[in-house]
Amino acid sequence: MASQLLRRAGKLINVSASATKNLASSLAPISQANRSFASAAEDTNPITIEIAVPYKAHKCEPPSLLATTTPQELVQFFKTMFLMRRMEIAADSLYKSKFIRGFCHLYDGQEAVCVGMEAALTKTDCIVTAYRDHCIHLGRGGTVKEIMSELMGRKDGCSLGKGGSMHMYKKENNFYGGNGIVGAQTPLGAGLAFAQKYSKVEGVTLAMYGDGAANQGQLFEAMNIAALWDLPVIFVCENNHYGMGTAEWRSAKSPEYYRRGDYVPGLKVDGMDALAVKQAVKYAKEYALTKGAFVLEMDTYRYHGHSMSDPGSTYRTRDEISGVRQERDPIERIRKLLLAKEIVTVADLKNMEKEAKKEVDDAVAQAKPDPSELLSHIYVKGLGTEVFGPDRKEFTAVLP
Amino acid sequence: MLPESSLVLGLSFEVKTETGSTATAQQGHELLLFEALREGLEEEMERDPTVCVIGEDVGHYGGSYKVTKGMAEKFGDLRLLDTPIAENSFTGMAIGAAMTGLRPIVEGMNMGFLLLAFNQIANNCGMLHYTSGGQFTIPIVIRGPGGVGKQLGAEHSQRLESYFQSVPGLQMVACSTPYNAKGLMKAAIRSENPVILFEHVLLYNLKERIPDEEYVLCLEEAELVRPGQDITILTYSRMRHHVLQAVKTLVSKGYDPEVIDIRSLKPFDLFAIGNSVKKTHKVLIVEECMRTGGIGASLRAAIMENFFDELDAPIGCLSSQDVPTPYAGPLEDLTVVQPPQIVFAVEQLCKH
């Protein structure tokens, strides 16, 4: 059993061990030395990076392995991913000090998926995901402050403190949450795409789910209707190889989630490489807008357990976790790229990190939750229905 | 004389004759209940392009109970969407579409099939308005035939109102005549809340004369079917007609029952019910739900909490037996409340 774990751990780490060697060879330093950080942050000259891990395609042609990006974009990737990482770690310590309760599912390790997706999308495109949604909310225009407030149940949280960790939404930027039940968001995603097609909106929907949800029947139902009616939906499987405590090889007969769509074409992407993700999502978006449903499997990894109640070490080895962190960490990858291309200096990166830490620390100081929010938003229009507290003597309110 | 029911909550009671028709001799037009539903649906779809129907066989087939017959030719396949047999996902899809502003109507071919979509209805449909802090509204209508039919078997004779009643955020209404079917359908479509509209398999061919003018009923109002002094009989859906049959016998025996069709199953129209209880001081609830955990159970609790001092007798409640509905006709009849039982119960209660 232990040897099995070790063998599979090796597989996960080695995915891009050879890739990092390729990364080194694909780096060509830019001739201008000592460019200032300020200019790098605004520099929109295109540069081409070769994507290290090749795509695996199902019923389609894979996109090119040459990704174009700009120094500005790479700097933005670093800043956003680092902010997300700090935010999740802050959530970890807040949970341990009991400021955050209930369920808290952290996204650290998977940041490249979110950041790469956003780089290829606009706010007209819709995203719906499951409960590992803090960073996706941030990517969709949320602030660390409203996320932290929501996690601690404060009234200025993004759902007024009534949703919690698993129910974060941002309607104006087409982020539909934030769903607690595994797999239930995939038909919602098909519905969002249906509405886009119905109202003739030029956008796609990304319905995100995990390797655990990939075995849900409603996902196959959603894929069928999406393909049947050519809905512009991209099903994104964030494969972090563990469905809570059960490894993918123990719960799925076929771990090739990008093939699960059968008649729906799919791609397998190295989910720890933000540029590879961006390239794949761009490709998928074009396909979805012109032809119909598409599946993307993001090969990614989570450092934390499934949630804060799960130590994350009973079903995998610590060596595996630290191995992936060393070889495939998405933030380190961008850091190496930025330094090798001499876009920023080490000091610049340290400044960015300091700023991110400060932003997170500031966001953590909040007000108390307000009990008046308990009874609003149950019905849309007021009904005047009365509600009684448990003893029916003291507490009555009229539902607004 | 036009009925006074309107969008105003609380004060308008319509006095109706026993068969339920309201218009004078030749005004209005006659139709069957499923046609009334269709009329309401068509009017709303013409009025608002975001209204669409999603369900099995609603498009080309015209609906398994002919509610959407001819509409796909008129409005197109996208607005009358034929789905594969996948209730969980197409209900979820409708909810996702509603989140963006569309107003879908989900038709369950039989309400019992919506049990497969229970998660979507309870967690997503009912709760998204709350968990998103008010950002999203789900203006969806979920409708379909339920109740005990003619020997349809246990799994096709479900009464889902009892299962959904405790989901916060859902509104539930039950129609019983062509007049209220059309009015409730229109009101449900126009409502910003998710509404479950319970129709009954055996009532689709009820005929009635309804007004030509456009009318929309209030979702939260009960309907006074027959005013009286002796006892308040609360009922809904098919049992309304069993009650009216029993009332004929009771009147001939000298009783004067007041019959209220509660229509709104969640929330209850306690204003109308309370006024009636204050007048008669006795209540009998007649429902098709199971005895355990049904609408009657909740209604009894609500009446007792609010109007205990007005009651002269314990609240009577006639419900279906707590058994799966058997196939054999006579056995099936035994599980559902029949008019003689209603007459007997009223006689017992009126002895107090």
Side-chain angles (χ1 to χ4, degrees):
Chain A
M1 179 60 187
S3 59
Q4 261 183 335
L5 276 176
L6 281 172
R7 219 181 315 135
R8 293 185 193 266
K11 268 199 200 156
L12 288 173
I13 300 169
N14 284 332
V15 167
S16 34
S18 55
T20 44
K21 294 193 200 109
N22 286 343
L23 181 67
S25 62
S26 81
L27 296 178
I30 298 179
S31 50
Q32 310 100 299
N34 296 325
R35 270 153 80 251
S36 74
F37 168 56
S39 70
E42 277 114 38
D43 187 351
T44 49
N45 284 323
I47 46 180
T48 317
I49 313 277
E50 193 188 333
I51 291 170
V53 176
Y55 297 102
K56 287 203 186 139
H58 169 71
K59 299 214 167 137
C60 66
E61 285 305 308
S64 148
L65 282 175
L66 290 173
T68 41
T69 179
T70 66
Q72 181 189 42
E73 186 172 64
L74 290 175
V75 168
Q76 199 51 43
F77 278 179
F78 182 84
K79 278 168 127 179
T80 315
M81 287 203 281
F82 195 82
L83 185 65
M84 289 176 175
R85 180 69 62 90
R86 293 299 331 156
M87 183 176 76
E88 296 295 73
I89 293 176
D92 175 299
S93 54
L94 283 173
Y95 190 92
K96 286 178 178 146
S97 7
K98 302 212 187 222
F99 283 98
I100 301 176
R101 303 280 195 137
F103 290 126
C104 189
H105 306 85
L106 298 177
Y107 201 70
D108 52 322
Q110 299 183 211
E111 299 90 352
V113 174
C114 172
V115 150
M117 266 170 37
E118 289 294 341
L121 299 175
T122 68
K123 295 295 189 273
T124 320
D125 301 311
C126 303
I127 299 184
V128 67
T129 184
Y131 40 77
R132 210 175 291 278
D133 59 346
H134 309 164
C135 298
I136 318 255
H137 186 264
L138 195 67
R140 280 268 107 176
T143 62
V144 183
K145 182 171 184 287
E146 68 183 352
I147 294 173
M148 283 297 164
S149 301
E150 184 61 35
L151 287 173
M152 289 196 272
R154 313 299 195 214
K155 150 172 100 163
D156 21 313
C158 48
S159 297
L160 308 178
K162 301 200 287 188
S165 163
M166 299 187 284
H167 299 288
M168 299 195 174
Y169 311 83
K170 201 149 194 76
K171 181 176 182 178
E172 60 268 24
N173 289 340
N174 282 319
F175 177 49
Y176 293 86
N179 290 282
I181 305 292
V182 168
Q185 74 277 11
T186 46
L188 285 187
L192 299 171
F194 174 74
Q196 284 175 320
K197 185 165 181 167
Y198 190 101
S199 315
K200 300 196 173 63
V201 166
E202 184 91 358
V204 296
T205 299
L206 272 83
M208 303 175 71
Y209 59 99
D211 48 294
N215 300 317
Q216 272 269 320
Q218 51 191 324
L219 172 63
F220 293 95
E221 293 178 23
M223 281 183 184
N224 179 43
I225 35 187
L228 184 64
W229 297 323
D230 294 326
L231 301 181
V233 55
I234 304 169
F235 292 100
V236 179
C237 178
E238 292 181 285
N239 182 8
N240 56 26
H241 306 283
Y242 294 95
M244 214 184 90
T246 308
E248 62 178 341
W249 56 273
R250 290 183 64 228
S251 62
K253 181 73 179 172
S254 158
E256 296 186 309
Y257 300 106
Y258 67 106
R259 284 181 186 272
R260 289 267 188 109
D262 187 15
Y263 35 79
V264 178
L267 270 185
K268 181 168 173 163
V269 186
D270 178 9
M272 306 298 256
D273 180 351
L275 285 170
V277 172
K278 174 188 167 195
Q279 184 89 324
V281 174
K282 232 169 57 173
Y283 179 82
K285 176 169 172 172
E286 215 186 282
Y287 187 96
L289 278 175
T290 51
K291 300 215 193 93
F294 201 87
V295 177
L296 285 175
E297 180 188 336
M298 305 287 181
D299 187 348
T300 181
Y301 198 83
R302 54 165 164 82
Y303 298 141
H304 269 90
H306 164 75
S307 72
M308 289 304 300
S309 340
D310 168 29
S313 51
T314 52
Y315 47 86
R316 50 185 188 173
T317 61
R318 292 194 191 279
D319 288 338
E320 177 189 299
I321 305 172
S322 49
V324 176
R325 202 189 272 274
Q326 250 180 311
E327 303 282 331
R328 300 177 63 201
D329 185 84
I331 300 179
E332 291 313 303
R333 185 191 209 96
I334 296 286
R335 186 198 297 271
K336 283 194 193 107
L337 193 56
L338 285 170
L339 291 173
K341 295 268 184 187
E342 290 179 8
I343 298 174
V344 292
T345 64
V346 177
D348 294 330
L349 289 175
K350 276 219 160 23
N351 278 336
M352 285 189 248
E353 290 177 11
K354 247 204 282 192
E355 269 171 32
K357 282 184 193 154
K358 182 172 187 310
E359 186 176 340
V360 172
D361 289 337
D362 285 347
V364 174
Q366 301 299 332
K368 292 268 163 215
D370 186 345
S372 72
E373 278 301 338
L374 177 66
L375 297 173
S376 54
H377 297 301
I378 297 177
Y379 290 104
V380 174
K381 292 225 183 77
L383 296 174
T385 319
E386 278 198 320
V387 173
F388 296 94
D391 57 8
R392 281 184 190 73
K393 288 191 184 78
E394 281 179 22
F395 172 66
T396 74
V398 176
L399 288 180
Chain B
M1 200 169 71
L2 286 175
E4 277 190 319
S5 85
S6 64
L7 298 165
V8 175
L9 179 70
L11 286 178
S12 48
F13 284 172
E14 316 137 46
V15 178
K16 299 195 175 193
T17 64
E18 278 178 29
T19 53
S21 73
T22 57
T24 54
Q26 291 311 311
Q27 268 181 341
H29 55 286
E30 238 183 18
L31 40 51
L32 305 177
L33 195 145
F34 74 88
E35 291 169 339
L37 287 168
R38 190 196 313 152
E39 235 180 54
L41 198 44
E42 268 196 62
E43 284 173 16
E44 289 305 300
M45 284 183 77
E46 273 164 11
R47 179 179 174 268
D48 184 350
T50 62
V51 178
C52 54
V53 180
I54 297 174
E56 294 159 11
D57 283 331
V58 294
H60 294 185
Y61 190 82
S64 47
Y65 291 92
K66 292 181 283 196
V67 175
T68 50
K69 188 154 186 198
M71 291 175 72
E73 286 85 15
K74 185 170 173 189
F75 294 105
D77 282 351
L78 192 61
R79 291 186 77 189
L80 272 297
L81 193 64
D82 279 327
T83 64
I85 305 177
E87 282 77 8
N88 197 1
S89 50
F90 72 69
T91 310
M93 188 184 101
I95 295 167
M99 283 167 94
T100 68
L102 287 191
R103 305 184 88 93
I105 298 157
V106 173
E107 175 174 310
M109 191 180 271
N110 185 293
M111 278 304 223
F113 304 162
L114 292 179
L115 285 173
L116 288 154
F118 202 102
N119 173 56
Q120 295 289 350
I121 297 173
N123 286 335
N124 288 337
C125 182
M127 299 193 194
L128 269 169
H129 186 58
Y130 188 89
T131 57
S132 66
Q135 287 179 69
F136 297 114
T137 59
I138 320 283
I140 194 179
V141 177
I142 298 173
R143 50 160 290 268
V148 177
K150 279 270 171 285
Q151 298 186 248
L152 297 178
E155 292 177 9
H156 292 73
S157 312
Q158 307 254 38
R159 282 129 284 175
L160 255 50
E161 53 268 27
S162 55
Y163 304 153
F164 286 123
Q165 66 176 320
S166 44
V167 177
L170 291 180
Q171 259 190 276
M172 306 200 306
V173 287
C175 63
S176 49
T177 65
Y179 178 77
N180 61 37
K182 178 176 173 186
L184 289 174
M185 169 73 97
K186 287 170 75 88
I189 295 172
R190 293 188 192 189
S191 167
E192 294 296 320
N193 292 315
V195 178
I196 307 187
L197 171 57
F198 289 95
E199 301 153 13
H200 198 286
V201 269
L202 295 182
L203 295 183
Y204 279 125
N205 290 324
L206 260 187
K207 190 185 278 198
E208 191 183 6
R209 185 172 287 278
I210 66 169
D212 290 326
E213 300 82 12
E214 190 184 25
Y215 66 95
V216 182
L217 293 178
C218 179
L219 286 175
E220 297 93 15
E221 257 183 17
E223 186 182 317
L224 178 65
V225 183
R226 180 191 190 281
Q229 296 294 329
D230 291 348
I231 184 172
T232 300
I233 305 182
L234 301 171
T235 182
Y236 67 92
S237 191
R238 178 188 174 208
M239 288 297 115
R240 166 191 174 135
H241 303 279
H242 278 209
V243 165
L244 291 176
Q245 249 185 297
V247 160
K248 285 194 195 126
T249 315
L250 286 168
V251 165
S252 71
K253 289 190 175 186
Y255 291 96
D256 185 23
E258 177 154 296
V259 180
I260 293 181
D261 182 340
I262 60 174
R263 272 189 352 208
S264 174
L265 304 180
K266 182 179 163 90
F268 295 129
D269 184 358
L270 287 177
F271 182 78
I273 294 171
N275 280 340
S276 180
V277 174
K278 286 177 190 166
K279 194 168 45 155
T280 66
H281 307 292
K282 296 181 207 63
V283 182
L284 175 67
I285 301 170
V286 180
E287 57 161 358
E288 206 181 21
C289 250
M290 310 297 210
R291 184 152 209 79
T292 307
I295 298 289
S298 306
L299 192 48
R300 277 169 116 173
I303 297 174
M304 201 231 37
E305 266 161 30
N306 289 287
F307 308 116
F308 179 72
D309 292 325
E310 303 288 340
L311 292 169
D312 286 346
I315 304 172
C317 184
L318 295 176
S319 334
S320 295
Q321 303 288 328
D322 280 326
V323 297
T325 311
Y327 164 72
L331 288 180
E332 184 184 68
D333 288 339
L334 283 177
T335 66
V336 172
V337 178
Q338 302 295 341
Q341 292 168 294
I342 303 173
V343 172
F344 182 74
V346 168
E347 287 173 340
Q348 292 303 306
L349 277 175
C350 281
K351 288 199 179 120
H352 287 272

